[in-house]
Amino acid sequence: MTATNSVAGFTGTGTVFNPATGEIAGEVQWTDPSDVEKIAAGLRTAQREWEQRGAKGRAKALARFAVWLGDNRDEIEKLLIAETGKSSTDAAQEVPLLIMILSYVIKVMEKAVAPEVRPAPSAVLSIKKIAIHFRPRPVVGVIAPWNYPVANALMDAIGALAAGSAVLLKPSEQTPLTAELLRQGWLASGAPDVFAVVQGAREVAEAVIDNSDYVQFTGSTATGRKVAERAASRLVPYSLELGGKDPMIVCEDADIDMAAHAAVWGAMFNAGQTCVSVERVYVLESVYDKFVAAVVRDVEALQMGAGEGKHFGALISEQQLAVTERHVKEALAAGARALTGGERASGPGSFYQPTVLVDVDHSMACMTEETFGPTLPIMKVASVDEAIRFANDSAYGLSASVFSRDVARAKDIALQLDCGAVNVNDVISNLMCTTAPMGGWKTSGIGARFGGVDGIRKFCRQETVVAPRTNLGAGGNFYHNSLKTLARSNQVLTKLALARPRRIAK
Ligand code: NAD
């Protein structure tokens, strides 16, 4: 049996195959796109009670779901491995991340959506009490990719649910199974029916956009553009978490072993199918040979294969493998050398050998396009300035990493990189920092995902309520007042407002 997750047609039921073994992972019931409207309407009704429950009540439901995730981790990871061909090491990363996000969200959600009192802008307006209320967007559509079927399905949905929204999730058509299990878990943990899953490809995703009040999209840049256009035509806000080509810079004063360990893990983790994987490395020439030798040593020790006892598993599909193959082949034809790997693995399943490429440059796709495979192209540079120039020479701007024993210097380099996050002497670790947002610059995205109270508030509309502090009078500029009084009050307000500009302009 061919190992593939692409399922012909999206009507009735479909079979999902394990890309590592070709075995059947499970069956999925595809959603008719015309049913999405009805499903969204059901969520809209259920959402009212969810919002009225208040942040404290919702926190309890989210806490129970976190406990369910912890209790059912083995079952979730087993299914995850079956539908993605991941190693168990890689599969084991997703549920803990969600529990960390849930734990943080439960702690801050009440404060995040509590009304905020704002000061009066001038003495005249101090008779007013100004409050900003955070009201949830009723239905948040979440469209997810296949690379982290558990984490990408829920890492933002948690913030939406905390805000008081209902969530309409469409997982990738290549990995539909774990999402169903997560919904079952949500209901089994006692939570109300405010989290629905619809299954399918483009047509169902479009129906999700057409029936949501906010679109949370994770996927490729090309699809992200289409999502933005469709959401914009309805004037519905969106957040796009898109592709990346993350650079790593290794300075001459770096701990070379540490940098090599990080580069190999960052590039090969999940078979390179991570938006924030290390996709290219720039190394100062004085430490280049030492770094390359350490990387090759680490890569040669890797065990590839799905399930237990392996470092990383299969690529999701033959199409994904073909992209990796093309990038490596083109680079080799243009003068690059593969120090390890360089071709697909023999035997069944969509596996590609972990590959270290040297003598690469920016004329090659492996240095400019997102590969999303287990490859590590390394380029020698003459100076840190040159490394920064190359790192920024990209249409993408998701994240980056800098290695130097001088942390202050590394931070200074970080602030010269055009991207949403930089890890110093580490890779990918910003994802664990659930207090901080994660967002891409340039074609890597718009907005930011989870992290901090922003990851909850982004799903809310702000409603300003201005009320009198006492019942003595509204204090308004009504026609009922004489025209003279109106003119005088206008004069006073303008004079007061001009006081600061006059002082500062001096
Ligand atoms: P993809 O764009 O092919 O698909 C993503 C989702 O969009 C799927 O659910 C798909 O069914 C749906 N879709 C397809 N056509 C659509 C349309 N016209 N309108 C709306 N939705 C549509 O991406 P993929 O191959 O599943 O995922 C890999 C990509 O995701 C990579 O580029 C990776 O970098 C990116 N990614 C980014 C982040 C991040 O945080 N920035 C995280 C994970 C993955």
Side-chain angles (χ1 to χ4, degrees):
M1 193 181 304
T2 328
T4 176
N5 261 6
S6 50
V7 193
F10 296 97
T11 52
T13 53
T15 306
V16 181
F17 297 98
N18 181 330
T21 61
E23 287 164 7
I24 292 175
E27 299 282 315
V28 55
Q29 179 69 48
W30 301 119
T31 308
D32 188 322
S34 65
D35 286 342
V36 174
E37 187 178 352
K38 205 169 61 212
I39 296 165
L43 286 175
R44 217 168 273 285
T45 305
Q47 182 269 339
R48 289 192 210 115
E49 186 276 328
W50 183 238
E51 179 181 357
Q52 279 161 12
R53 203 177 267 215
K56 222 182 193 137
R58 293 194 297 273
K60 188 138 203 115
L62 289 169
R64 288 184 176 145
F65 181 54
V67 172
W68 181 88
L69 285 171
D71 290 348
N72 292 274
R73 191 175 159 186
D74 288 350
E75 190 191 350
I76 299 166
E77 287 171 3
K78 214 168 136 210
L79 187 57
L80 189 55
I81 290 168
E83 75 170 341
T84 60
K86 284 179 195 250
S87 68
S88 33
T89 317
D90 285 348
Q93 306 295 324
E94 300 199 42
V95 174
L97 176 63
L98 285 185
I99 296 175
M100 278 172 64
I101 294 173
L102 275 159
S103 177
Y104 171 72
V105 163
I106 289 163
K107 182 175 154 199
V108 298
M109 60 191 279
E110 215 178 330
K111 213 165 161 195
V113 296
E116 225 179 72
V117 174
R118 296 279 166 93
S122 74
V124 174
L125 282 164
S126 60
I127 54 167
K128 301 288 187 193
K129 190 166 181 187
I130 306 162
I132 316 293
H133 294 257
F134 297 92
R135 305 271 317 277
R137 299 178 191 277
V139 176
V140 171
V142 174
I143 302 174
W146 45 260
N147 61 337
Y148 291 98
V150 173
N152 277 322
L154 287 185
M155 58 167 85
D156 300 292
I158 290 166
L161 291 163
S165 306
V167 167
L168 178 56
L169 167 68
K170 194 210 80 70
S172 167
E173 59 277 26
Q174 304 200 66
T175 52
L177 302 178
T178 32
E180 295 289 350
L181 182 57
L182 294 173
R183 173 173 144 82
Q184 283 166 24
W186 172 257
L187 296 175
S189 68
D193 213 347
V194 289
F195 169 41
V197 176
V198 289
Q199 299 285 8
R202 177 177 57 80
E203 293 80 1
V204 175
E206 288 175 349
V208 167
I209 300 170
D210 294 348
N211 288 284
S212 300
D213 306 301
Y214 187 99
V215 182
Q216 173 67 48
F217 175 81
T218 308
S220 63
T221 298
T223 312
R225 279 186 217 282
K226 292 182 193 152
V227 171
E229 282 167 17
R230 199 165 183 111
S233 73
R234 293 188 54 233
L235 294 182
V236 166
Y238 51 82
S239 177
L240 306 176
E241 325 304 334
L242 310 176
K245 188 76 191 168
D246 286 6
M248 171 190 274
I249 295 177
V250 182
C251 299
E252 70 287 352
D253 61 349
D255 176 333
I256 297 302
D257 265 335
M258 181 207 270
H261 299 328
V264 172
W265 184 72
M268 308 301 170
F269 171 58
N270 208 38
Q273 302 169 115
T274 304
C275 54
V276 288
S277 66
V278 175
E279 286 252 338
R280 52 198 170 115
V281 188
Y282 303 97
V283 189
L284 269 289
E285 52 194 354
S286 59
V287 290
Y288 175 82
D289 290 341
K290 199 174 162 199
F291 176 78
V292 169
V295 162
V296 170
R297 175 203 64 204
D298 278 12
V299 169
E300 284 175 346
L302 291 177
Q303 299 285 323
M304 186 170 61
E308 289 299 321
K310 304 290 181 189
H311 289 109
F312 71 87
L315 289 157
I316 193 72
S317 62
E318 287 295 325
Q319 293 95 304
Q320 202 55 47
L321 197 138
V323 175
T324 308
E325 252 178 341
R326 175 172 69 78
H327 284 190
V328 174
K329 267 192 187 145
E330 283 178 8
L332 295 178
R337 286 179 299 134
L339 301 182
T340 64
E343 51 192 36
R344 74 175 293 160
S346 55
S350 44
F351 287 94
Y352 195 88
Q353 295 175 345
T355 298
V356 178
L357 291 172
V358 292
D359 300 340
V360 291
D361 61 45
H362 275 219
S363 69
M364 301 172 186
C366 71
M367 293 298 280
T368 56
E369 293 173 23
E370 185 179 48
T371 306
F372 235 52
T375 58
L376 188 57
I378 308 172
M379 191 169 157
K380 192 190 289 181
V381 288
S383 66
V384 167
D385 283 348
E386 191 180 38
I388 295 170
R389 257 197 322 277
F390 278 126
N392 287 339
D393 176 26
S394 174
Y396 293 112
L398 196 50
S399 52
S401 53
V402 180
F403 283 75
S404 164
R405 282 198 173 88
D406 182 346
V407 173
R409 178 190 185 209
K411 282 190 193 165
D412 181 56
I413 295 169
L415 290 175
Q416 295 177 65
L417 297 175
D418 300 337
C419 60
V422 180
N423 289 293
V424 171
N425 294 336
D426 201 353
V427 290
I428 312 181
S429 57
N430 66 296
L431 260 174
M432 305 294 151
C433 303
T434 54
T435 49
M438 177 211 171
W441 291 18
K442 302 194 265 184
T443 61
S444 288
I446 290 181
R449 71 183 332 160
F450 72 91
V453 291
D454 316 311
I456 300 169
R457 282 194 179 169
K458 67 186 260 192
F459 298 110
C460 296
R461 295 169 289 197
Q462 294 184 20
E463 184 173 335
T464 300
V465 177
V466 179
R469 284 191 180 276
T470 69
N471 267 339
L472 291 178
N477 265 343
F478 305 145
Y479 282 133
H480 163 80
N481 297 316
S482 73
L483 293 183
K484 214 166 148 190
T485 311
L486 287 179
R488 200 176 310 124
S489 109
N490 182 291
Q491 232 173 8
V492 172
L493 277 172
T494 313
K495 194 172 167 196
L496 282 171
L498 266 173
R500 185 177 298 116
R502 283 199 203 288
R503 203 172 60 243
I504 297 200
K506 267 185 196 155

